[in-house]
Amino acid sequence: MSQPTIAGIHHVTAIAKDAQLNIDFYVGVLGLRLVKKTVNFDDPGTYHFYYGDGQGRPGTILTFFPWRTVGRGRSGSGETAATAFAVPDGQLGFWEERLQANDVAVKRARRLQEDLLSFRDPEGTSLELVGSDEDQDFQPWADSPVPPAHAIRGFHSVTLRLAGLEGTAQLLRDTMGFREEGEEEGRLRLRGAGDRAALVDLVPAPGQTRAALGAGSVHHVAWRVPDQNQQEAWRSQLEDSGYNVTPILDRNYFRSIYFREPGGVLFEFATDPPGFTADEPLDQLGRSLKLPKWLEKARPQIEQALPAVSLPGEKP
């Protein structure tokens, strides 16, 4: 087999506290589609929401664990400091007005020759919108409150805040096949082999306290691998390089392995298939609670434990 490569970001998973507030913001304000409503497979007493484009393609998927009793996360080193989405060039003004109209504080900036808008979701998750014309394969969601001409196109990048950059940069560059693309004020940008959602920025945070997970923080970043054969090759290669990699885990919509990169951020390598239509048709994505086969027997108890939620404008 040829040297496996990483095509870009598969998904980003963050932590929230209020499930309904989470849906209201990501569907009602950002206009993403709730493509899957399921549970945390390791903790079935909490939801796992997946938001993405109209077809739930890898590279567009932001997911949340809304733990009702979790405390607020703490920023520091060893974390994903920001998650950036791409929007069409020239649309940052639209988003600035839309976010401010929904009482979201925004800040304009320019970084590495790109204009961007930074803001936080209602529970403190750091987000960015970057004007970009790179993604020509956008799949709009017909029921989005945001018209397709302005809509989020999927991920642009993630920013990792690290005590030191070299170990993570070496993993990305020498093992995962990324190449260095730019540097500005200590921020190092690397690009993966894919044609979209393939950027990662590394920023130094020497001497900072280590970040702590909680509401508003990112749990892990998942990277795309095309199939399970390549995933198995990656697992062997990472183990040979000294990383403590999990067995391959069945996440129903993809297969996953996890390991912690040298800077402390949890990385996941997730397969593109089988995708979010594995257990419901495309036009019904996100409409009902989906459980893996091994949890169906516990559905009554799981449904009773979860808070009732609804899409914006619909009854719970």
Side-chain angles (χ1 to χ4, degrees), residues 96-232:
E96 188 169 18
E97 291 182 8
R98 180 173 179 82
L99 290 166
Q100 289 175 335
N102 284 278
D103 299 321
V104 179
V106 299
K107 182 180 178 181
R108 285 261 197 165
R110 186 167 177 80
R111 176 195 303 152
L112 291 164
Q113 303 181 0
E114 293 178 319
D115 294 317
L116 62 94
L117 204 60
S118 61
F119 58 100
R120 292 182 183 274
D121 80 358
E123 299 194 87
T125 303
S126 181
L127 302 169
E128 296 171 339
L129 299 178
V130 182
S132 172
D133 60 1
E134 285 193 0
D135 187 2
Q136 302 299 317
D137 191 24
F138 172 57
Q139 302 295 325
W141 174 39
D143 293 332
S144 174
V146 178
H150 310 291
I152 287 171
R153 263 47 178 168
F155 292 121
H156 171 273
S157 59
V158 289
T159 296
L160 310 185
R161 181 185 291 127
L162 306 165
L165 305 190
E166 186 48 39
T168 304
Q170 186 174 16
L171 167 68
L172 289 163
R173 185 181 55 230
D174 299 345
T175 303
M176 294 173 61
F178 284 61
R179 57 181 170 79
E180 294 184 11
E181 185 166 278
E183 188 170 4
E184 184 178 281
E185 299 179 349
R187 174 183 292 263
L188 178 63
R189 171 163 291 180
L190 297 101
R191 179 182 289 275
D195 58 355
R196 57 185 171 85
L199 293 174
V200 55
D201 287 0
L202 310 182
V203 296
Q208 284 196 13
T209 303
R210 194 166 182 84
L213 288 176
S217 61
V218 170
H219 189 272
H220 64 264
V221 177
W223 304 97
R224 292 177 61 198
V225 294
D227 54 45
Q228 194 162 332
N229 287 335
Q230 286 216 17
Q231 188 175 61
E232 290 170 354

